[in-house]
Amino acid sequence: MIMNRESKANRILTLKAFVSTGVLSGVLLALMPATFSALVLAAAPERAFADPTPAAVAGFNTYIAQLESRLAHQHGSAGGFLAPFDAARVRGGTVVVERVMPAFGASVPGAMLHHWRGTAFVAGARAVDLERLLRDYGRYQKVYAPQVISARVLAQDGNHYQTMLRVSQKHVITIVLDTNYDIHFFPVTVEPDANSGAHGYDISHSTQITEIGDPGTAKEHALDSNHEHGFLWRLNTYWSWEEGDGGLYMQIETVSLTRSIPTGLGWAIGPFINSIPRDSMEFTLRATANALRRRP
């Protein structure tokens, strides 16, 4: 489709405004024609994207409270420890990843919420095997490479962990983040109900997310709030697992908070924002399944 001059000029002005907040960065520039990219890049100031607004954080926290209330009810109900899914499809080897929120996320003031859920099955695996793997942060660099560059436990008190992971995502550009988490494990239990197998879950809240500039070089440094790009402001992860049908069902739910997309630019940024959580969740579930199949 060919743009007329007026519509193209309006699109450039809109993109220039978007770049001024740091939203485009190298992502969209790499996808646009060279001349178009040059016009946008020339108008981009040095300042990137600041921290989320208090209203955005409040909206995120409200949503999380509602989700965790639902999960508490789900984990306490008979025969409904996991969210509904197509068991036959999952047992057949499909990793099912679905968006829980509407397309492009739900809007909160100055930001967006993204809620995804993924489910997988590992024949012959047990609940204790998965819990042991999830607690073994020393293996993360091997099990979840190349997305996890390093992982370590900062502190532990029983089932309560504080951890740090350096993670990398490559979608047109490479993003490296240092991420800190507060994690609570709820150990494997076996209910007396014959229809329910051993199950457990954990809850992970991000406590700090820092974008890294020039990673792996002598110039490596943490970007401050005036220069980071706002790819990820908050990330909560919820693992649930339950034995059944001769194996283990695993389910992850993630809720993230990112910068918002101005009206009219979903055509350009939407695919990038949607592909990262979907691809990352599928990768995590497949890597976990592979590690469980290789267990001693």
Side-chain angles (χ1 to χ4, degrees):
M1 182 176 68
I2 300 176
M3 292 184 190
N4 60 43
R5 290 187 177 182
E6 182 178 358
S7 63
K8 183 174 181 179
N10 289 338
R11 187 66 60 83
I12 291 174
L13 289 174
T14 305
L15 286 168
K16 285 161 67 176
F18 198 19
V19 174
S20 72
T21 65
V23 174
L24 282 182
S25 183
V27 178
L28 184 56
L29 297 180
L31 305 178
M32 294 188 294
T35 303
F36 197 13
S37 300
L39 289 172
V40 178
L41 185 60
E46 293 183 1
R47 189 180 184 279
F49 210 77
D51 291 330
T53 65
V57 174
F60 177 82
N61 290 340
T62 297
Y63 187 85
I64 289 300
Q66 295 170 348
L67 169 61
E68 293 188 354
S69 176
R70 190 263 291 170
L71 285 171
H73 181 267
Q74 174 182 305
H75 291 148
S77 64
F81 194 78
L82 305 180
F85 61 94
D86 186 338
R89 184 182 175 199
V90 171
R91 282 199 307 273
T94 300
V95 174
V96 176
V97 178
E98 56 189 343
R99 183 192 300 110
V100 181
M101 298 297 298
F104 303 152
S107 178
V108 292
M112 287 170 43
L113 284 168
H114 310 271
H115 184 178
W116 291 75
R117 180 188 299 129
T119 310
F121 177 78
V122 184
R126 301 175 301 161
V128 292
D129 298 327
L130 176 58
E131 184 175 327
R132 185 182 301 114
L133 173 63
L134 294 178
R135 289 175 184 257
D136 190 357
Y137 292 95
R139 292 184 62 195
Y140 276 34
Q141 182 177 351
K142 180 178 180 180
V143 172
Y144 299 110
Q147 288 195 3
V148 175
I149 299 173
S150 62
R152 58 193 176 96
V153 176
L154 303 177
Q156 179 189 357
D157 182 10
N159 295 316
H160 180 204
Y161 289 73
Q162 293 178 353
T163 67
M164 192 283 286
L165 278 69
R166 172 164 288 195
V167 298
S168 173
Q169 279 281 355
K170 186 174 183 180
H171 286 254
V172 182
I173 63 171
T174 298
I175 306 161
V176 175
L177 304 171
D178 280 350
T179 58
N180 289 44
Y181 298 95
D182 187 82
I183 305 170
H184 288 268
F185 282 89
F186 296 83
V188 170
T189 59
V190 181
E191 301 296 338
D193 182 357
N195 296 321
S196 176
H199 51 243
Y201 64 99
D202 73 25
I203 296 176
S204 171
H205 294 167
S206 64
T207 56
Q208 182 175 341
I209 297 177
T210 305
E211 185 178 350
I212 303 301
D214 301 311
T217 72
K219 297 181 179 180
E220 178 180 306
H221 61 287
L223 299 181
D224 61 31
S225 61
N226 288 326
H227 294 89
E228 66 179 10
H229 297 90
F231 291 115
L232 184 64
W233 281 327
R234 299 288 189 279
L235 175 62
N236 283 13
T237 304
Y238 305 87
W239 279 86
S240 303
W241 55 89
E242 184 172 39
E243 293 178 4
D245 301 317
L248 183 70
Y249 291 100
M250 309 179 297
Q251 194 168 80
I252 311 175
E253 295 198 39
T254 63
V255 181
S256 58
L257 182 72
T258 68
R259 71 177 103 193
S260 59
I261 300 177
T263 302
L265 288 184
W267 62 274
I269 306 299
F272 179 76
I273 286 181
N274 284 328
S275 67
I276 286 183
R278 176 185 293 277
D279 293 349
S280 180
M281 181 170 286
E282 181 171 352
F283 168 83
T284 299
L285 283 167
R286 290 193 182 279
T288 302
N290 289 338
L292 290 176
R293 294 186 185 103
R294 294 192 299 264
R295 70 190 185 282

